[in-house]
Amino acid sequence: MADLTIDELTGLIRAMLSAGCSLTTDALLVFEEGGVIYISGKTSPALVTNTDTPAEVTLRMSLVTLNKLYRRETSATSAVMSGRIRIEGNLMAAMQLDRILAS
């Protein structure tokens, strides 16, 4: 399976949240290759954009890592423990994202 682009992943996350996957926080995914995905479950409907917006938690990773999470080739816990994902901010907020990133 080919790696998805930031735009494709943004669309998938938006669809997951629209389908009822709940989130009560906001997060910013920052990619080493450039680009971001901002996710906010604090709005109704949930907001998913490619705008660099301050959030409760920021996750820094490569686009390759996010694709591996999406394909379930790695777990979020493993990626954090190995340093492939760096978390800045509210750790509890980051834990909510596991439902979305590994869906």
Side-chain angles (χ1 to χ4, degrees):
M1 177 186 288
D3 281 352
L4 299 174
T5 66
I6 291 175
D7 288 338
E8 291 168 328
L9 288 163
T10 301
L12 285 171
I13 294 168
R14 189 177 291 124
M16 285 181 237
L17 289 170
S18 294
C21 189
S22 66
L23 185 68
T24 60
T25 190
D26 58 349
L28 182 66
L29 310 179
V30 178
F31 300 102
E32 294 168 0
E33 301 86 351
V36 300
I37 300 175
Y38 173 75
I39 307 164
S40 179
K42 292 182 172 186
T43 62
S44 184
L47 176 66
V48 182
T49 71
N50 297 109
T51 305
D52 191 348
T53 303
E56 281 184 70
V57 64
T58 298
L59 281 70
R60 297 184 184 279
M61 70 186 86
S62 69
L63 193 51
V64 170
T65 297
L66 184 58
N67 271 282
K68 285 183 178 184
L69 287 168
Y70 174 69
R71 291 191 301 261
R72 295 187 177 160
E73 294 172 2
T74 192
S75 70
T77 302
S78 173
V80 169
M81 297 300 284
S82 66
R84 290 177 287 157
I85 296 177
R86 292 170 311 287
I87 300 172
E88 300 168 4
N90 186 334
L91 181 58
M92 296 306 283
M95 292 173 70
Q96 285 189 42
L97 295 174
D98 191 40
R99 288 177 273 174
I100 295 170
L101 300 181
S103 293

